[in-house]
Amino acid sequence: MPDLEPSRLHAEAIQALAEAQLTAMGSALTCYLDQVPREPTFPYVVFWSTPGTPVFAAERMRGWGQDIETVTQATIAGLTPADVLGGVDRLTLALHRRKPTIPGRQVGDFEVDGVAARPGRDPIPTPGGQEVFTTVLFFRLMSSPASTT
């Protein structure tokens, strides 16, 4: 499957790494992938899968071969702006100097892309009507199929 759906695997790998590191740190930041339950556990981060872009230098040199880059959005949500800021710090610390693992693929560059904005009021409150605040981070990841030679 790694050779067939690398875009999906990138977001899954980032979410799994974040969840494992946050758990090891004892941090209260729930991780979701591509959807949030009707009544989520706050604060949380939801990672959104995005389509990958072929790495064009590899395409010119030897054909695409599924060298790919993705930018995965991480939306951090909390019930107060302070919860969101704390979530950004915890998530950044959890992923700092670490690299996701994707079976069957060699993971290349992994970095935060841009800076999180000031937490803003989300237009959708909790089911009980409580305000929700959010901001986003973006994570850029490159990978290639693992060498078979």
Side-chain angles (χ1 to χ4, degrees):
M1 196 68 97
D3 291 332
L4 297 177
E5 299 179 355
S7 297
R8 178 182 57 82
L9 296 175
H10 278 204
E12 288 176 356
I14 294 169
Q15 186 269 342
L17 175 62
E19 189 168 50
Q21 291 302 124
L22 288 162
T23 299
M25 292 167 39
S27 176
L29 186 64
T30 307
C31 296
Y32 299 109
L33 179 63
D34 289 331
Q35 61 185 2
V36 178
R38 179 164 162 69
E39 295 188 24
T41 301
F42 286 95
Y44 68 81
V45 57
V46 57
F47 295 93
W48 300 101
S49 301
T50 59
T53 303
V55 178
F56 294 110
E59 184 174 342
R60 284 193 305 269
M61 299 297 286
R62 63 174 192 262
W64 178 33
Q66 289 202 341
D67 298 329
I68 195 167
E69 177 180 59
T70 58
V71 179
T72 299
Q73 178 178 318
T75 302
I76 298 94
L79 299 176
T80 68
D83 287 344
V84 175
L85 292 174
V88 168
D89 289 344
R90 288 189 299 261
L91 180 60
T92 303
L93 179 62
L95 297 177
H96 183 70
R97 293 189 179 181
R98 291 182 172 70
K99 200 179 269 195
T101 301
I102 302 174
R105 297 194 65 83
Q106 295 175 335
V107 177
D109 293 339
F110 178 50
E111 59 191 54
V112 174
D113 192 19
V115 178
R118 180 176 178 265
R121 192 171 278 115
D122 195 272
I124 302 171
T126 67
Q130 192 169 3
E131 289 184 316
V132 176
F133 296 85
T134 62
T135 193
V136 297
L137 288 172
F138 296 93
F139 294 97
R140 184 175 300 275
L141 178 64
M142 296 174 67
S143 77
S144 302
S147 176
T148 57
T149 59

